[in-house]
Amino acid sequence: MTGRFEGPEYHISKTRLETLVDGIFAIAMTLLVLGINPPRPEDSLAQSVLPGMIEGLVPQVFLFIVSFLVLALFWMGHHRQFHIVRKIDPALLWINILILISIVFVPFSTDVAGDYPDVMDAALLFHTNMFIVGLLFFVQWRYICRHEHLCEPVLEKAVMRGGSYHSMLVPAIAAIGGILCFVNPPLSLLIYFALPLGTYLLGQVPAP
Amino acid sequence: MTGRFEGPEYHISKTRLETLVDGIFAIAMTLLVLGINPPRPEDSLAQSVLPGMIEGLVPQVFLFIVSFLVLALFWMGHHRQFHIVRKIDPALLWINILILISIVFVPFSTDVAGDYPDVMDAALLFHTNMFIVGLLFFVQWRYICRHEHLCEPVLEKAVMRGGSYHSMLVPAIAAIGGILCFVNPPLSLLIYFALPLGTYLLGQVPAP
Amino acid sequence: MTGRFEGPEYHISKTRLETLVDGIFAIAMTLLVLGINPPRPEDSLAQSVLPGMIEGLVPQVFLFIVSFLVLALFWMGHHRQFHIVRKIDPALLWINILILISIVFVPFSTDVAGDYPDVMDAALLFHTNMFIVGLLFFVQWRYICRHEHLCEPVLEKAVMRGGSYHSMLVPAIAAIGGILCFVNPPLSLLIYFALPLGTYLLGQVPAP
Amino acid sequence: MTGRFEGPEYHISKTRLETLVDGIFAIAMTLLVLGINPPRPEDSLAQSVLPGMIEGLVPQVFLFIVSFLVLALFWMGHHRQFHIVRKIDPALLWINILILISIVFVPFSTDVAGDYPDVMDAALLFHTNMFIVGLLFFVQWRYICRHEHLCEPVLEKAVMRGGSYHSMLVPAIAAIGGILCFVNPPLSLLIYFALPLGTYLLGQVPAP
């Protein structure tokens, strides 16, 4: 009852962890909007300058939408993975804490990459962030698959494999983006539009 | 069980989607307040300058209240529409994701329009944002009406039609505001006070 | 089923309204911290300047704590009042929307009053905000008392009266603060320390 | 039914308090990211300057992660302690309000310490904040242990003692950090990496 590995985190229920996860997703998705800097010209110049300034926000708004959609995909992925989880163990809890840290970081990396889409380091920060979130989801999925006592019902092999393919999609795309941004940073940010295509191609693969 | 269209989003329950939606509404409604820029005069000047600066915030506070009330109406509309939804399918899920993106954008467009109510582009940004949210709610309602297997109980024709009228109210008013703002931007922002009147006129129309 | 007054808001359940209210309270209470401006001296000066700047934040931190405690009291008050509410009608819904607008405004008025506690207008803004929230809670209580069909069980007269006394406490203190701030703005902000005393004095009064 | 001590807070349910606590934890953990200041160089200089500026954010990102992990530990601690609480009394409610105030303050103290890790006062502010949160958790635990009528089932002595040891871990580490920061402020911030070690050493101690 107080063994080393089931001791401290023993009483964290699945429901409560999901509540924290859903709350942090909702807040991070909403904070994304703070990355769009509202233009603040002088009142006397506003009539002539503001229209151009609003147009200049297009890259920021674009990346805001990209990040929102990727976070929405991660949120769905979390629900799909947790749909078969019956109980939480300390390792699974800590994988979730790491996922949450990297989710909370997304509004920051989106902000930087949206402000400076031409600068390689800014785009790379964004791709790295997305890669880490995606990788952690992959790790979580592998962990769930390998610990049958956490699951209900026991997973079929095909679903395990399909889930792995699905959760490799975002890391793969982020990795391609990370390579592409050495060549053309703004173009590399467009790579995430390959996500719907990837999801479509994986549509017939069994998944959780 | 793993068909193309019910595959990936298969396990998103209605309850959880509602939790995300409610969370994002609550956060977006609260973030609106960050659009009111707290005046920051020098300490030595504060006594004489601050009163005038606080009065100068009236347009920002006004638009903060307008946005809050419109978001509250959208929130109620979401609950009314989801009251009859029994289960979520992928299309309905994605309509909701699009609704959420445009809801999260509201604190930004409110901020810009509140800062520069005299500038056409700022007011137009606000009207466009509200129009898109309203349109998506209309699309969602039509989608629900056309997919009886998602609903419980099956909808009466009169309620379907009434719900359509109700969800056309905000888009109609935002469109009028959008046209009006070519003539008089600050006046166009007052159009949303027609919402209670419109709701009253629709009061006898059957609705979900 | 589609009468004017029970039509549109008909399907808002008590639970969902409480979720929105709890969410907005939690976010507003947390956003209060953004009103404390982190000092940003030049790196080279930080060693010598920062200690004094941190001390200079005392009024902001003080008002942050005051606002947090008053919001916590309002949150408890909301739960006490809703404990006896069985169902929501449109008027009660709209009273809640107005309460939420004024709650969301608190981080702003706290920010201004914390930055300029010496300026009458800043302190007055804070007292007015608190007065309005308190008044709306009083209005809500009276509304609940007068509509027995919304309550369960039916209220005793003594509890009704006690609840009114309780919900007049904050408005009364905010009104005194509002008058006091014409004489001494910073002192007027200390008035909220009378709240525990007031709560103690009302301790024997029956309350919901 | 209306006695002094069970009067006003009488109707606050355990579930609702947990919802507020979980919400505020989620928001505070997410707001931590706002403490990382996105660099804003001139567009023309961005290519050459931004990489260095991003590297310069390392201390801020580091402290963001530390704070996130410590808040996650506190969140788990709250769940462990509340797992055995059956009902809330006014004192327990107010301990929680105090815990929440100090949790909400964490994004601020993290921001300051992350910006100026070399300045003793900034590091001290951070350690003090963590010490107070930890102390309040210790106080809460002692309070729970001493009021058996709030608990279910009644606690074993060994679990009581173990829980006390566990909840003294963070305050002890923060106190050491507070002393260390008089000698070497940036080093003192690394002390929180002793938390996993401490948790490991306490792993065999019975805990709630």
Side-chain angles (χ1 to χ4, degrees):
Chain A
M1 197 174 164
T2 53
R4 187 169 295 281
F5 285 108
E6 47 176 335
E9 289 79 15
Y10 184 60
H11 293 312
I12 304 295
S13 70
K14 184 195 166 191
T15 320
R16 277 182 180 168
L17 182 54
E18 283 181 336
T19 308
L20 188 78
V21 168
D22 284 0
I24 285 185
F25 262 98
I27 305 159
M29 286 160 98
T30 317
L31 285 188
L32 286 174
V33 78
L34 300 184
I36 313 175
N37 311 311
R40 300 235 180 282
E42 291 272 313
D43 276 345
S44 55
L45 298 170
Q47 287 286 359
S48 54
V49 176
L50 199 66
M53 286 175 117
I54 290 176
E55 276 168 44
L57 295 173
V58 167
Q60 293 184 30
V61 173
F62 165 78
L63 213 61
F64 156 74
I65 293 172
V66 167
S67 280
F68 195 100
L69 293 176
V70 179
L71 286 187
L73 279 175
F74 281 132
W75 177 79
M76 290 177 215
H78 195 273
H79 280 302
R80 281 209 304 278
Q81 292 193 1
F82 262 55
H83 182 71
I84 51 154
V85 168
R86 191 172 46 90
K87 63 174 206 134
I88 308 295
D89 74 352
L92 195 52
L93 178 60
W94 281 103
I95 294 172
N96 271 275
I97 301 289
L98 294 180
I99 286 176
L100 291 181
I101 294 186
S102 43
I103 290 294
V104 165
F105 199 73
V106 170
F108 175 76
S109 60
T110 304
D111 189 355
V112 174
D115 284 358
Y116 304 100
D118 299 325
V119 182
M120 198 199 78
D121 292 72
L124 194 57
L125 187 74
F126 184 80
H127 295 306
T128 309
N129 196 165
M130 291 305 179
F131 181 76
I132 291 173
V133 183
L135 193 70
L136 288 167
F137 267 95
F138 177 73
V139 168
Q140 172 166 282
W141 179 245
R142 296 311 304 158
Y143 186 83
I144 293 171
C145 290
R146 279 183 199 146
H147 293 77
E148 293 197 352
H149 67 286
L150 300 176
C151 303
E152 190 172 276
V154 171
L155 286 171
E156 295 168 49
K157 282 267 174 275
V159 173
M160 284 190 194
R161 218 177 316 114
S164 298
Y165 292 154
H166 271 279
S167 56
M168 276 190 288
L169 188 60
V170 174
I173 284 178
I176 297 171
I179 295 163
L180 216 68
C181 87
F182 284 85
V183 186
N184 188 330
L187 195 74
S188 77
L189 294 167
L190 298 172
I191 190 87
Y192 294 90
F193 283 114
L195 274 171
L197 180 70
T199 307
Y200 179 85
L201 293 175
L202 285 173
Q204 297 297 354
V205 174
Chain B
M1 197 174 164
T2 54
R4 188 168 295 280
F5 285 107
E6 50 176 335
E9 289 78 15
Y10 184 59
H11 293 313
I12 304 295
S13 69
K14 184 194 164 191
T15 319
R16 277 183 180 165
L17 182 55
E18 283 180 337
T19 308
L20 188 78
V21 168
D22 284 1
I24 286 185
F25 263 99
I27 305 158
M29 286 160 97
T30 317
L31 285 188
L32 285 174
V33 78
L34 300 184
I36 313 175
N37 310 312
R40 300 236 180 282
E42 291 273 315
D43 276 343
S44 54
L45 297 170
Q47 288 285 359
S48 54
V49 176
L50 200 66
M53 287 175 117
I54 290 176
E55 275 169 45
L57 295 173
V58 167
Q60 293 184 29
V61 173
F62 166 77
L63 213 61
F64 156 74
I65 294 173
V66 167
S67 279
F68 195 100
L69 292 176
V70 178
L71 286 186
L73 279 175
F74 281 132
W75 178 78
M76 290 177 216
H78 195 273
H79 279 301
R80 281 209 304 278
Q81 293 193 359
F82 263 55
H83 183 71
I84 52 154
V85 168
R86 191 172 46 90
K87 63 175 206 133
I88 308 295
D89 74 352
L92 195 53
L93 178 59
W94 281 104
I95 294 171
N96 271 274
I97 301 291
L98 294 180
I99 286 176
L100 291 180
I101 295 186
S102 43
I103 289 295
V104 164
F105 199 74
V106 170
F108 174 76
S109 60
T110 303
D111 189 354
V112 174
D115 284 359
Y116 305 100
D118 299 325
V119 182
M120 199 200 76
D121 291 73
L124 193 57
L125 187 74
F126 184 81
H127 294 307
T128 309
N129 196 164
M130 291 305 179
F131 181 76
I132 291 173
V133 182
L135 193 69
L136 288 167
F137 267 96
F138 177 73
V139 168
Q140 172 165 283
W141 178 245
R142 295 311 306 159
Y143 187 83
I144 293 171
C145 289
R146 278 182 199 147
H147 293 77
E148 292 198 350
H149 67 286
L150 299 176
C151 303
E152 192 171 273
V154 171
L155 286 172
E156 295 168 50
K157 282 268 173 273
V159 173
M160 284 189 194
R161 218 177 315 115
S164 298
Y165 292 154
H166 271 280
S167 57
M168 275 190 290
L169 188 60
V170 174
I173 283 178
I176 297 171
I179 294 163
L180 216 68
C181 88
F182 285 85
V183 185
N184 188 331
L187 194 74
S188 77
L189 295 167
L190 298 172
I191 190 86
Y192 294 91
F193 283 115
L195 274 171
L197 180 69
T199 307
Y200 179 84
L201 293 175
L202 286 172
Q204 296 298 354
V205 174
Chain C
M1 196 176 167
T2 53
R4 189 169 294 281
F5 284 107
E6 48 177 336
E9 288 78 15
Y10 183 59
H11 293 313
I12 304 295
S13 70
K14 184 193 164 190
T15 319
R16 277 182 181 166
L17 181 55
E18 282 180 338
T19 307
L20 187 78
V21 167
D22 283 1
I24 285 184
F25 262 100
I27 305 158
M29 285 160 98
T30 317
L31 285 188
L32 285 174
V33 78
L34 301 184
I36 312 175
N37 311 311
R40 301 237 180 280
E42 291 273 313
D43 275 345
S44 55
L45 298 170
Q47 288 285 1
S48 53
V49 176
L50 200 64
M53 287 175 116
I54 290 176
E55 275 169 46
L57 295 173
V58 167
Q60 293 183 30
V61 173
F62 166 78
L63 213 61
F64 156 73
I65 294 172
V66 167
S67 279
F68 195 101
L69 292 176
V70 178
L71 286 186
L73 279 176
F74 281 131
W75 177 78
M76 289 175 215
H78 194 273
H79 279 302
R80 281 208 305 278
Q81 293 192 359
F82 262 56
H83 183 70
I84 52 153
V85 169
R86 191 173 46 91
K87 62 174 206 134
I88 308 295
D89 74 352
L92 195 52
L93 178 59
W94 281 104
I95 294 171
N96 271 274
I97 301 290
L98 294 180
I99 285 176
L100 291 180
I101 295 186
S102 43
I103 289 295
V104 165
F105 200 74
V106 169
F108 174 76
S109 60
T110 304
D111 189 354
V112 174
D115 284 358
Y116 305 100
D118 298 326
V119 182
M120 198 200 78
D121 291 72
L124 193 57
L125 187 74
F126 184 81
H127 294 307
T128 310
N129 196 164
M130 291 305 180
F131 180 76
I132 290 174
V133 183
L135 193 69
L136 287 166
F137 267 96
F138 177 73
V139 168
Q140 172 166 281
W141 179 244
R142 295 311 305 159
Y143 186 83
I144 293 171
C145 290
R146 279 183 199 148
H147 293 77
E148 293 197 350
H149 67 286
L150 299 175
C151 303
E152 191 171 276
V154 171
L155 286 172
E156 294 168 49
K157 282 267 173 274
V159 173
M160 283 189 193
R161 217 176 316 116
S164 298
Y165 292 154
H166 271 280
S167 56
M168 276 190 289
L169 188 59
V170 175
I173 284 177
I176 297 171
I179 294 163
L180 215 68
C181 87
F182 284 85
V183 186
N184 190 330
L187 194 74
S188 77
L189 295 167
L190 298 172
I191 191 87
Y192 295 91
F193 284 115
L195 274 171
L197 179 69
T199 307
Y200 179 84
L201 293 175
L202 286 172
Q204 297 298 353
V205 174
Chain D
M1 196 174 163
T2 52
R4 188 169 294 280
F5 284 107
E6 49 177 335
E9 289 80 14
Y10 183 61
H11 293 312
I12 304 295
S13 70
K14 185 194 164 189
T15 319
R16 279 182 179 166
L17 181 56
E18 282 180 337
T19 308
L20 188 78
V21 168
D22 283 1
I24 285 184
F25 263 100
I27 304 159
M29 285 160 98
T30 317
L31 285 188
L32 285 174
V33 78
L34 301 183
I36 312 175
N37 310 311
R40 301 237 180 280
E42 290 272 313
D43 276 345
S44 55
L45 298 170
Q47 287 286 359
S48 54
V49 176
L50 200 65
M53 287 176 117
I54 290 176
E55 276 169 44
L57 296 174
V58 167
Q60 293 183 29
V61 173
F62 165 78
L63 212 60
F64 157 74
I65 294 172
V66 167
S67 279
F68 195 100
L69 293 175
V70 178
L71 285 187
L73 279 175
F74 280 131
W75 177 78
M76 289 176 215
H78 194 274
H79 280 300
R80 281 209 305 278
Q81 293 193 359
F82 262 56
H83 183 71
I84 52 154
V85 169
R86 191 172 45 90
K87 62 174 207 133
I88 308 295
D89 74 352
L92 195 52
L93 177 59
W94 281 104
I95 293 172
N96 270 275
I97 301 289
L98 294 180
I99 286 176
L100 291 180
I101 294 186
S102 44
I103 290 295
V104 165
F105 199 73
V106 169
F108 174 75
S109 60
T110 304
D111 188 354
V112 174
D115 284 357
Y116 304 100
D118 298 326
V119 181
M120 198 200 77
D121 291 72
L124 193 57
L125 187 73
F126 184 81
H127 294 307
T128 310
N129 196 166
M130 292 305 181
F131 180 76
I132 291 173
V133 183
L135 193 70
L136 287 166
F137 268 96
F138 177 74
V139 169
Q140 172 165 282
W141 179 244
R142 296 310 305 159
Y143 186 82
I144 294 171
C145 290
R146 280 184 197 144
H147 293 79
E148 294 197 350
H149 67 286
L150 299 176
C151 303
E152 190 171 277
V154 171
L155 287 172
E156 295 168 48
K157 283 267 174 274
V159 173
M160 284 189 194
R161 218 178 313 114
S164 298
Y165 292 154
H166 272 278
S167 56
M168 276 191 288
L169 188 59
V170 175
I173 284 177
I176 297 171
I179 294 163
L180 216 67
C181 87
F182 285 86
V183 185
N184 189 331
L187 195 74
S188 78
L189 294 167
L190 298 171
I191 191 86
Y192 294 91
F193 284 115
L195 273 171
L197 180 70
T199 307
Y200 179 83
L201 293 175
L202 285 173
Q204 296 298 351
V205 174

